[in-house]
Amino acid sequence: MSVVSGKIIFCEGKQSSLDFRLLNRVVENLLKNKPTIVPCGSKFTFSVFVQGYFSIDGAINQQYIIFRDRDFDVQPTANIGLIQFKSMLLTHRACVENYLFNADLIHNYWHTKYIEKQDNPTSQWEHKNSPGIEAISAWIEEAARSLQDYQTVRWALSDLLQSSAARHQFKTTWTGGSGQLPSLLTLHDCRNQAVALINQFQQAVGTVTLDRFEQSIAVYQQQFAQEEFWTQKQYLIWFHGKDIQKAMQRQKSQYISLKYFFNWALNEIDVNQYPDLIELQNRISSLQ
């Protein structure tokens, strides 16, 4: 039976994903014992994938980190850093795309491609020159403002999800699982245990109410309406980057493709500008 050795970093997506490529930027300056980065698809299958990746012997002392987007699973913390969520480390910003919404970076990409077009008539670049950093900053913020109500509702739904049994699968046994039998096997005793499970589940699901939803909406409406939320660009932390990307392309369909910009930007960003990514680098370095 093979034994996996060395540091392993698990992430979402495939080798072509932004997550995988961002991690490669994070570890590129590690001088020794660099980790193996393993993309494992959906975040919902992390635990199964990790268990299957390691052999029984190799998993005993295996050093690894699971790193993924925060999404709406937990709120960002006041201090900028990685967020521990179960056995995983989450980004401080909502997702990888959020680290790339930088007006200077978008302008540099746009202008560089435009200049390349002037020097190379066969270039496929179809846009005029960059409208400038100020216009691009406005593009990002206007897209985020158009999402204010939508993100309010998404966060309110997240609150309900966190406080309910909706995250937990309704099970077919009250023991640890198949092969672990209860002490009493009569229909009467088994039925009573099952009724107890049903009651617990109903009580938990009962927390999903319109009143709680409306309360959460009011909280996020107030938070996202505060002036500092916009002047400090907190929307780049709270609002989901994929939603911002879509809103930007919808508002200015004549502008550049952000998908192609992201591919370029991952090779250009300075990961040392982000405390949570520095922390991730340090955690990876400290793995034995």
Side-chain angles (χ1 to χ4, degrees), residues 93 97-110 132-133 136-137 139-140 233 235-236 244 248 256 258 261-262 264-265 269-270 273-274:
R93 297 192 176 198
E97 286 84 349
N98 290 68
Y99 294 89
L100 304 176
F101 292 118
N102 179 291
D104 293 83
L105 204 58
I106 295 175
H107 167 74
N108 290 340
Y109 166 77
W110 199 325
I133 294 173
I136 293 172
S137 296
W139 182 29
I140 299 171
K233 299 184 177 181
Y235 52 86
L236 293 179
I244 296 176
M248 288 174 68
I256 62 170
L258 290 171
F261 161 71
F262 288 158
W264 177 90
I269 64 167
D270 180 4
Q273 290 183 345
Y274 304 100

Side-chain angles (χ1 to χ4, degrees), residues 8 13 37 44 51 60 62 68 105 186 226 230 257 270-271:
I8 308 291
I37 302 171
F44 298 108
Q51 291 173 14
I60 294 175
Q62 181 62 47
R68 70 165 179 82
L105 204 58
T186 66
Q226 292 176 358
W230 297 96
S257 164
D270 180 4
V271 295

Side-chain angles (χ1 to χ4, degrees), residues 24-41:
N24 274 285
R25 291 299 315 280
V26 169
V27 304
E28 67 181 1
N29 291 325
L30 297 181
L31 299 179
K32 59 181 180 179
N33 197 13
K34 287 189 178 181
T36 299
I37 302 171
V38 180
C40 49

Side-chain angles (χ1 to χ4, degrees), residues 123-136:
S123 169
Q124 299 299 311
W125 185 256
E126 299 177 349
H127 302 280
K128 297 180 180 179
N129 200 359
S130 166
I133 294 173
E134 185 175 342
I136 293 172

Side-chain angles (χ1 to χ4, degrees), residues 43 68 70-75 85 90 158 162 167:
K43 69 180 182 181
R68 70 165 179 82
R70 176 173 52 78
D71 295 329
F72 293 89
D73 292 321
V74 61
Q75 292 187 3
F85 181 69
L90 309 187
S158 173
Q162 302 300 332
R167 279 194 174 275

Side-chain angles (χ1 to χ4, degrees), residues 3 17 83 98 102 105 129 131-133 180 217 226 239 278 286:
V3 177
S17 68
I83 297 175
N98 290 68
N102 179 291
L105 204 58
N129 200 359
I133 294 173
Q180 300 184 37
I217 280 185
Q226 292 176 358
F239 291 4
I278 295 175
S286 66

Side-chain angles (χ1 to χ4, degrees), residues 7 15 46 84 142 153 157 204 214 227 246 252 271:
K7 305 174 182 179
Q15 287 193 348
F46 264 126
Q84 185 80 43
E142 287 168 7
V153 171
L157 288 172
E214 295 294 346
E227 182 179 358
K246 187 67 174 182
K252 300 286 187 181
V271 295

